[in-house]
Amino acid sequence: MLGLGKKDLMFLLIVVLLTLTAPILLNPFPEGSAMAQFNAGYPDLMQRIAIFAIFAVGFNILFGLTGYLSFGHAAFIGVGSYAMVWMMKLLTMNILPGLILSIVMGGLFAVVIGYVSLRRSGIYFSILTLAFAQMCFNMAYSVLTPITGGENGLGPQIADPRILDAVNTSGSVPEVNLFGLSMRATYKMDLWGRLFQFNAGYYVCGILSVLMFYLALRIFRSPFGMMLRAIKSNQHRLNYTGLNSKPYMLAAFVISGMYAGLAGGLMAAMDPLAGADRMQWSASGEVVLMVILGGVGTMLGPVLGAGFIKYFENIFSKINDSVLHDWFSIFPKWLENLLVGILHPFVGQGWNLTLGVLFMLVVIFLPGGLIEGGQRIGRLFRRKPDAKGPAPASTPAE
Amino acid sequence: MGILEVKGVNKRFGGLQALGNVNLSVTENTVHAIIGPNGAGKSTLLNCLVGKLIPDTGSVLFDGQSVLGRKPHEINQMGISRVFQTPEIFADLSVFENVLIPCFAKRDGAYRLHAFETIAAETDILGKAEKMLRDVNMWDKREMHAGALSRGDKRRLEMAMCLSQSPKLLLLDEPTAGMARADTNNTIDLLKEIKSRGNITMVIIEHDMHVVFSLADRITVLAQGSPLVEDVPENIKGHPKVKEAYLGEAAH
C-alpha cells in the first residue's frame, strides 16, 4: 500500500500516530509539579520540532544518501521565509500560496547553487555552499533591504494590499490562517491535572512533516535513492556503469532545497516575521548537527535529532539558578550551593554547553547517532542473536 | 574492420612516453589479450579506451564511432564495460543492489529521475539481476554488504555487474590478479562460458600466462609503450622478441 513494504507501512503508521498525539505524549508531567518545566507539549515548541524535522529529513536526502555535506542549506530556509511573507503581504494571509511559493523558490535557488557547487566534491563542495549561503545572508542584510527588510526583518503590515483577502477593517494585521482556520487557534483540554493544547498551526506543520517524511521514505526506497547511495559508495564505479552522477546529485540537492524552502515557509507562517539571521551559517550548521546527532542516512534519525536539539534549546535554556536552588533545597545549604555552582554553566544561557557535551558523547560513543543508541538498547532487551544475521543493506532505515 | 580500432595512439606523461604509436585492431566476438612486462603501458592503453585518459594523438574507434573525449558513462552506454585491476564495487550496498544498478543503467540510460517508483515493482530488472547472481554462484550472498566479500567474490561480483549489461566489449584489467589458483580457474571457466554464449568481445590484460593462453584468440605483446608482436597464441609462445621483452636479454 502507498508503494511501501509492510515494514515501512507500519513504520509510517507509528510516525503518524506519534505526530497526532504529540500534544499529549509530550506533556507527561502534571501542571504545577516540579517536573512541569520539562513538558514540551506547547504549540510553539512542537511547531518548531515539526518544522526542523522537515528541514533535517530533506537535508538527510542529500547528506545521508549521497554523502555530500552542504553547509549552506540555511539559505533555502531564508528564501522560503521571505517568499511566505511576501505572499502574505501581496496576496493573502492564507498560507497555502506562500507554502507553494516557498517550495518553488527553495527549488530554484537550489538549482543555481547546486549547479555551481556540485562541480566540486568533498570539502570544496561544502565551502562553495557555505559561500553561497553567506552571500545570501549578507545581501539580505544589506543591499536587498527593499525586498528583505534588512536588519529589521520582514513582516506583514496593516497597509499591505493582500489583493485576495477581504478589505481589512480591523485595524490590525489579520491572523495567519489556512482557509479561515487561524494558525493560533488552540483547543485546550484540562485532563488528569494536565493542560493539553491542540494547536492548528502545529497540526499544519505536523501533517506536512508526515507527508514529507513519507516522500523521503519513498525516495529512500526508490531506484533513485539507490543510485544516490551508490554515489556515496563509489562514484567512480557508477560512472563506469553508464550512469551520469551529475544530474542525480543535482536532483538530490534540489529536492533537499525544496524541503528547506518549505521549512522556511512554515517558520514564517507560524511566526510571521522573516529575518536574515535565518540564513546565517550557524543555522546551516544546526541542521548538520541534527542529522549527525540523530543518525546520518537513517529515516528517523533526523527527526529525532531535530526534536532533541529543539527540546534542549527550549527546555534547558529556561532553567535558571532559582530553579536549580528549588531542586536542591532538600540538601544542606553548602551542598545546594555547590551543586548549583556545578550545574550553572550547563543551563540557562549555557545550554549550548550541554548540547556540545551531548553531541561529543554521541559522536564518540554512538557514531550512528541516537538511532544506533536505540538499536543497541533494543538488542540488549532481545538478547537472542538475530536469526537474520547482519541487517540487509537494502533497508538502512529504522 | 574490427569492433575496436586503435590507430596511432600516443600518450606522454611529462618526459615519459607511455604509449608510442599503438595500433590495435580487435575482431568482433574474439578474446584479445594484451600482455607485456610491468610499465609497458597496458593499463594506460585501457584507460584511453574507456575515457579515463585522452591520448595526445591518434584515434580510438568503437563500432565505427570515436570514443575520444567522451565521458566514462557515455562510453559505457555505447556498450563498453570494464573490470578494474582492484575490484570497483559499491562496497556499502548489498550484493544484490550492486547488480541492480547496472541493470537499471542498461535499461534507463545515463539518467532517469525514478524517485517515486519502488525497486520491488521492477520485476524484469529483479529477475535479470537474480539470474546474473545465480550465474556467478553468488545468489546466497545477495543480502551481504559487498564490502564484506572476499577478494575473489568481489571480483566475481564486478564481473557480474559488467555482464548484466550484456556489453559488446568487455575490458578486463588483470581479472585474476591476487587470486588463489582455484579462484583463477573458476574465473577462467566463467570467462570461457561467457565467450561460448557469444556476442561479446573481450580485451584482457593479464600477467598470468595460464589465463592468457587458456582464453585468448589473439595476443598483442606491448613493450615500452609500443606493440611488439601481434599473433595467435601458438606463435607467441617462445617468440624470441617476447622473450627479450620479458627477460631483458638478447634473443638468440
Side-chain angles (χ1 to χ4, degrees):
Chain A
M1 210 174 87
L2 293 170
L4 294 175
K6 212 173 179 183
K7 219 171 131 200
D8 285 340
L9 206 63
M10 280 301 294
F11 189 42
L12 185 70
L13 219 68
I14 292 170
V15 172
V16 171
L17 281 176
L18 287 180
T19 313
L20 292 181
T21 56
I24 299 170
L25 292 175
L26 292 176
N27 252 2
F29 306 112
E31 204 73 4
S33 73
M35 302 296 281
Q37 59 197 317
F38 289 109
N39 281 338
Y42 55 93
D44 181 49
L45 177 55
M46 289 193 299
Q47 287 167 3
R48 229 174 295 170
I49 291 177
I51 290 169
F52 276 92
I54 295 177
F55 187 23
V57 164
F59 187 75
N60 193 39
I61 292 175
L62 179 72
F63 180 43
L65 289 180
T66 71
Y68 276 58
L69 176 58
S70 161
F71 254 112
H73 260 52
F76 309 126
I77 287 268
V79 169
S81 288
Y82 287 127
M84 171 58 91
V85 175
W86 271 110
M87 284 292 105
M88 286 179 182
K89 287 167 96 68
L90 298 176
L91 282 184
T92 163
M93 288 306 274
N94 188 339
I95 60 173
L96 192 65
L99 287 181
I100 294 169
L101 187 72
S102 57
I103 296 174
V104 171
M105 290 306 287
L108 284 178
F109 268 69
V111 170
V112 176
I113 296 180
Y115 184 81
V116 178
S117 304
L118 286 168
R119 303 180 79 82
R120 288 282 169 268
S121 62
I123 187 82
Y124 303 102
F125 168 79
S126 304
I127 296 295
L128 280 171
T129 50
L130 176 62
F132 270 111
Q134 285 301 91
M135 273 194 273
C136 291
F137 163 67
N138 281 312
M139 301 242 295
Y141 218 73
S142 54
V143 286
L144 292 179
T145 299
I147 300 172
T148 63
E151 40 190 296
N152 296 324
L154 187 72
Q157 307 294 327
I158 301 173
D160 287 332
R162 274 187 280 280
I163 49 176
L164 292 184
D165 284 357
V167 179
N168 180 18
T169 51
S170 64
S172 63
V173 178
E175 293 232 24
V176 184
N177 64 73
L178 179 67
F179 299 110
L181 174 67
S182 166
M183 290 298 105
R184 286 214 208 115
T186 305
Y187 174 71
K188 288 183 178 148
M189 195 164 73
D190 228 332
L191 201 67
W192 309 312
R194 294 161 179 81
L195 179 70
F196 299 121
Q197 302 181 56
F198 300 94
N199 169 261
Y202 164 68
Y203 277 102
V204 167
C205 297
I207 289 167
L208 277 172
S209 71
V210 168
L211 189 69
M212 289 295 126
F213 184 80
Y214 166 69
L215 289 180
L217 196 59
R218 288 293 300 268
I219 290 173
F220 266 62
R221 299 287 184 262
S222 70
F224 174 73
M226 183 172 67
M227 302 305 178
L228 296 183
R229 278 186 292 132
I231 289 176
K232 184 179 184 178
S233 186
N234 192 341
Q235 197 165 356
H236 190 229
R237 173 36 94 192
L238 195 77
N239 289 334
Y240 284 98
T241 305
L243 290 159
N244 188 359
S245 48
K246 282 268 167 57
Y248 281 101
M249 287 300 314
L250 188 61
F253 194 86
V254 172
I255 290 171
S256 73
M258 288 162 90
Y259 268 74
L262 173 65
L266 278 173
M267 268 182 219
M270 296 304 123
D271 174 18
L273 183 74
D277 51 332
R278 269 180 202 167
M279 296 185 168
Q280 221 167 354
W281 64 270
S282 55
S284 301
E286 193 179 26
V287 74
V288 180
L289 286 191
M290 285 174 182
V291 173
I292 292 178
L293 194 66
V296 182
T298 60
M299 275 311 302
L300 213 49
V303 180
L304 273 184
F308 193 83
I309 289 186
K310 285 294 142 189
Y311 180 81
F312 269 81
E313 181 184 298
N314 281 267
I315 303 300
F316 269 61
S317 59
K318 266 193 225 144
I319 301 172
N320 52 27
D321 280 6
S322 70
V323 176
L324 286 179
H325 278 291
D326 231 30
W327 287 356
F328 299 123
S329 56
I330 49 164
F331 295 115
K333 199 74 196 164
W334 64 270
L335 187 60
E336 180 187 325
N337 285 338
L338 181 72
L339 287 171
V340 172
I342 292 171
L343 289 178
H344 172 79
F346 292 93
V347 296
Q349 297 271 327
W351 76 274
N352 272 309
L353 186 59
T354 314
L355 184 67
V357 170
L358 283 170
F359 184 73
M360 281 194 282
L361 289 177
V362 166
V363 169
I364 294 170
F365 295 108
L366 296 170
L370 294 173
I371 288 289
E372 192 188 324
Q375 283 168 344
R376 281 195 197 173
I377 292 168
R379 246 175 278 149
L380 272 184
F381 279 106
R382 248 178 282 149
R383 259 288 150 241
K384 274 184 191 164
D386 218 341
K388 276 183 279 174
S394 53
T395 50
E398 284 91 58
Chain B
M1 170 126 164
I3 187 163
L4 183 71
E5 293 280 343
V6 178
K7 284 204 188 100
V9 163
N10 282 284
K11 180 78 193 171
R12 261 186 175 285
F13 296 114
L16 176 77
Q17 180 88 31
L19 293 176
N21 198 28
V22 174
N23 292 300
L24 185 72
S25 175
V26 179
T27 319
E28 204 168 350
N29 298 335
T30 61
V31 177
H32 197 120
I34 298 171
I35 61 172
N38 285 326
K42 305 183 298 287
S43 293
T44 308
L45 179 59
L46 214 56
N47 285 337
C48 287
L49 302 184
V50 292
K52 199 176 175 187
L53 291 175
I54 299 175
D56 302 332
T57 59
S59 69
V60 179
L61 294 182
F62 172 70
D63 239 1
Q65 284 177 292
S66 174
V67 303
L68 297 185
R70 288 185 201 249
K71 300 240 171 67
H73 69 264
E74 293 169 331
I75 292 177
N76 175 282
Q77 291 287 349
M78 289 166 79
I80 301 181
S81 278
R82 173 172 181 184
V83 174
F84 287 82
Q85 202 166 349
T86 44
E88 292 273 358
I89 53 174
F90 303 114
D92 304 326
L93 272 58
S94 75
V95 168
F96 194 45
E97 285 173 316
N98 266 273
V99 185
L100 284 176
I101 288 171
C103 292
F104 274 110
K106 172 78 180 170
R107 191 193 67 183
D108 298 338
Y111 171 69
R112 184 170 153 212
L113 183 66
H114 29 34
F116 297 109
E117 294 154 32
T118 51
I119 297 175
E122 307 274 3
T123 44
D124 53 330
I125 287 204
L126 291 173
K128 196 173 164 191
E130 178 180 343
K131 190 181 168 301
M132 206 59 238
L133 278 180
R134 286 190 191 281
D135 276 0
V136 293
N137 282 326
M138 289 187 75
W139 179 242
D140 297 338
K141 294 174 180 161
R142 64 187 179 278
E143 299 270 296
M144 274 177 78
H145 271 273
L149 293 172
S150 71
R151 200 184 153 91
D153 277 348
K154 279 183 188 165
R155 177 67 75 192
R156 274 197 293 164
L157 176 60
E158 194 187 22
M159 214 97 83
M161 288 162 73
C162 289
L163 293 173
S164 65
Q165 301 192 304
S166 13
K168 285 186 247 175
L169 176 64
L170 180 62
L171 304 174
L172 300 128
D173 193 351
E174 303 202 23
T176 65
M179 270 191 191
R181 197 81 238 172
D183 273 337
T184 304
N185 286 334
N186 282 340
T187 309
I188 293 175
D189 291 342
L190 177 66
L191 288 172
K192 272 187 178 163
E193 200 203 315
I194 295 159
K195 187 183 162 189
S196 69
R197 272 185 243 158
N199 216 7
I200 188 166
T201 313
M202 290 188 237
V203 170
I204 178 167
I205 287 179
E206 187 55 74
H207 271 300
D208 188 336
M209 290 305 137
H210 172 56
V211 178
V212 172
F213 287 108
S214 327
L215 287 169
D217 298 310
R218 274 193 94 75
I219 297 176
T220 298
V221 183
L222 216 58
Q224 286 161 1
S226 311
L228 210 59
V229 214
E230 196 201 310
D231 215 329
V232 293
E234 294 76 56
N235 297 342
I236 294 287
K237 266 184 200 168
H239 195 292
K241 272 192 174 174
V242 178
K243 272 190 180 166
E244 185 192 334
Y246 265 91
L247 303 173
E249 61 185 31
H252 297 291

